[in-house]
Amino acid sequence: MSYRVAMDIGGTFTDVVCYDERTGAVTASKAPTTPQDLAEGVFAALGRVVADPADISFFVHGTTQGLNALLERKGARALLLASRGGRDVYQIARGNRERMFDLRYRKPEPLVPRQDVMEVGGRLDYRGGELVPLDEESVWQAARRAREEGFDAVAVCLLFSFADPAHEIRAGEILRAELGDDVLVVLSHEVAREWREYERTSSAVLEAYTGPVVRRYLSRVERRFAERGLAVPVHVMQSSGGLVNASHAMRRPLQTLLSGPVGGTMGGVAASRLLNRENVICVDMGGTSFDVSLVVGGRPDLSAEARVEGYPVLMPIVNLHTIGAGGGSIAYTEAGALRVGPESAGAVPGPACYGRGGVQPTVTDANVVLGRVDPTWFAGGQMTLDVDAAGTAVATLAEELRLDPLMLAEGICEVANAKMAQAIRTLTVEHGVEPREFALVAFGGAGAMHAAFIARELGISEVVVPRFPGAFSAWGMLEAEVRRDLTHPYFRPQETLDGTDMARNFALLEDEALDALSGQGVPEPRRRIEHAVDMRYAGQDYTLTIPLREAAEPAEPGFLAAIAARYAEAHTSRYGHATPEAPVEFVMLRSTGFGSFPRAAAAPPAAPGQEAQDVRDVIFDGDVHRTPVLRRSALDGELTGPAIVVEETATTVIPPGCLATVDDNGFLILKVNL
């Protein structure tokens, strides 16, 4: 058993990367995604990189099963149990308009309708003290209703359970005794032991809504592995950028909500280390979507909470911005103007050039018409593209718009590029971050095809195309660590802070995190713990997370002044100002356990020298350029655009005026805006 394998299941292709622990060789490939049964695509992809699956020693993958269920509103039917008098917490939400001046704004439709919310007697105070005992009969009634009416999941969110979860724990025992393993029981304090009732309820409901879908999928994958004699544990990427084994993911399925896209972010973290560039923008352009994330200071840009499809969720999550712009995005007319996406041709029928029955023009078809794709060696020669079908699809739309087909093809790409540049601005410029100070790491099947054009629009001077860009998210999963996040509510104003008590609570969290890592099979030398505290100025509602050096730091003399200064610095960085003389409050303790694996990066293959495989006419800025088409493995030295670089998992377009070089790690570095 010597192969470590990672897999990213996308809407169009399933990408796979295999690392040979004996030789250090890295191979990558892809297979068409099989929406009717994703496990089939998984094993088809495995067969292209590993001759005998029994040789696999480690397997990790990203799944979008939960996210797709949410996006398509095809999740489980869930029952919600709330404290008596709090039935409408979930329905009312915050009662605000997130987009104040949007006349057509509608808040997200609750995933649990009001008739499926039941009240449970019993009450705790804000400190967790019991005021009224739990009404167990009301819980039994809810359990019987869930069984009789065929609910798939039950979410329990009782007032102040983050302070003391005793009532929720007992309710969970009753529900599981009545419903068994057939119905997923979700307790809010296990999902997010944090304050703010609506956000905690929303997180629990999201897990109940998406969890059964994720559990069925992971169970099916594990069963297929067992049927084929594979004893290797299945690992899953979390939304935080860490790994967990499948058994934990089935217990806490919400943590896999953004499992697929964050693999690319963790690849960006590894790339920033290899490039010695602390700040990079990661862009993943696949067949259906375009994902943007940041690496700042060599670490993934994380939030302790986020919104997914308008629903708040309390858990560490990589800040991702996703739009419907991929190679399969369909171009069409609307009110006489050209539009591109968000609808995608997907894997079936796919773009017209795939020859699978697609007739609508897509971004990929436009690139084929412009000559920016090698039709005879697409996806490493696994597919031969139908150039005539692409031309017919683009020409049909061009006739409708009364445009020249070549002009329309370039217009389709420009509209897509503008949308993707705006998506990057959403995570950078709109948060006070200057994108020109970052390198752009481009990956995904289509990312390297558009990266230079996006960089030009944003004024970014350097584009990095990693090896195997189409499978970079999968490679990033091999570079990720096991991760477990723990929280403990800790409401203290600075005048009553007991540093020794805070340090003691951190020590308890550290022990719990170390035990969790042990349960994930991480050996002791590869475990480490990081601590942080959520803080705010007195009177503020929201917090910032401030890291600590170690668990014992709060007990040290001068801790309060030091942490207040750190908070003021973070406040200035985030909001542009601070009030150092104002008193601070402590809200939440956070401890994160990490378990590392040996690095999977390998030395790049030796370059045999640069030879053009072909020379063809390619359209750039309305002009025809004689452009060489080169194999990525043959690149050596400097390369001046225009050029097309092809490899098994992607195509890189180097426009005129760009300079490309290959560094010692095999990264293709493009200098743009020279």
Side-chain angles (χ1 to χ4, degrees), residues 201-215:
T201 302
S202 173
S203 301
V205 168
L206 273 170
E207 178 151 297
Y209 186 76
T210 62
V213 177
V214 176
R215 291 175 75 187

Side-chain angles (χ1 to χ4, degrees), residues 160-209:
F160 303 115
S161 60
F162 62 86
D164 187 338
H167 282 188
E168 279 195 358
I169 292 172
R170 178 55 186 150
E173 292 172 349
I174 294 171
L175 290 167
R176 287 167 179 142
E178 176 71 20
L179 302 173
D181 295 331
D182 294 334
V183 177
L184 175 64
V185 176
V186 176
L187 307 180
S188 72
H189 77 275
E190 294 179 345
V191 178
R193 193 168 179 178
E194 301 189 29
W195 67 301
R196 284 187 282 152
E197 212 63 36
Y198 165 61
E199 286 76 5
R200 185 160 49 87
T201 302
S202 173
S203 301
V205 168
L206 273 170
E207 178 151 297
Y209 186 76

